[in-house]
Amino acid sequence: MTPAFSQASVVPPDDGSVSFPEGDAAVSSELPHVPEPLLFDLVRPLGADKGELEVNALVQHASGGTAWAPEIEYAFADGYALELELPFEGATLEEYKVAVQGTAGTLLDGRMIHGWQAIVYYERNSKDYTADLIYLNGARLSRKWSVFNMVGLRHAHFRGDGDYIGLVNNSIFYDYSQRLTFGLEVNSEISDGWRWRHGLVPQIHFDVSEHVTLQFGGGRSRLNVGHPAEKTFIWRLIYSW
């Protein structure tokens, strides 16, 4: 069966009701062109063409210090990509992160695209592993508005207590122009005993050029209701070709 994410399958209707914007090096799908979340990013866009390559760096400043992570992402086949990420806390390399992502196809006459992502983390200090399995879904609501949603499960500390954590990430975006996008991202982690960690991150995406995008935002995260909120500032610089 022909992959549903081929270019022909995602052409918008001929009635002119929707026109997909151009720009944004950090899209979460080639078409229907949904922006990529800042905090929980993807391994290249869904439906990426074979040979696409991206390098980026995420920096997160919070009261506990500064975390940062360089990444390299490569589409090894149409719709499939690999990622290697090196998360640091200050000057200390904390873990190795490897991810693979696949595209399942498009829905709603090309206005929606979906896929999956699997991530494995190796924690250097504890010499333990953690793994995520996530379903991805992006949709173009109109020429200006789009959403991207993720839902999945994390198995933390394979050699330890083996906690299971539910993962939910929801983002909504407004394309102000071909080079400027505003977004709001809500990231949630739900663990045993209904411990709920959530973060709210308003964000801005700006295309510096055809290949370079700067994303930045600030927000708050909190563990359970009643606990103090932690302020955070995040930015990501992306180069893709």
Side-chain angles (χ1 to χ4, degrees), residues 5-59:
F5 53 83
S6 64
Q7 292 293 322
S9 70
V10 292
V11 173
D14 293 330
D15 59 10
S17 59
V18 177
S19 60
F20 297 110
E22 299 176 358
D24 200 340
V27 292
S28 63
S29 63
E30 300 290 3
L31 286 174
H33 195 107
V34 179
E36 181 178 12
L38 166 61
L39 185 61
F40 206 134
D41 73 326
L42 302 184
V43 185
R44 293 301 298 144
L46 290 174
D49 293 330
K50 179 181 178 180
E52 290 186 5
L53 182 66
E54 175 185 318
V55 292
N56 74 75
L58 173 73
V59 181

Side-chain angles (χ1 to χ4, degrees), residues 122-134:
Y122 175 72
E123 302 166 13
R124 298 180 68 234
N125 189 36
S126 64
K127 302 187 185 304
D128 205 349
Y129 293 88
T130 289
D132 299 347
L133 184 60
I134 304 164

Side-chain angles (χ1 to χ4, degrees), residues 28 46 48 51 107 111 155 164 166 193 219 234:
S28 63
L46 290 174
L107 305 165
R111 288 181 171 84
H155 186 187
Y164 285 92
I234 309 164

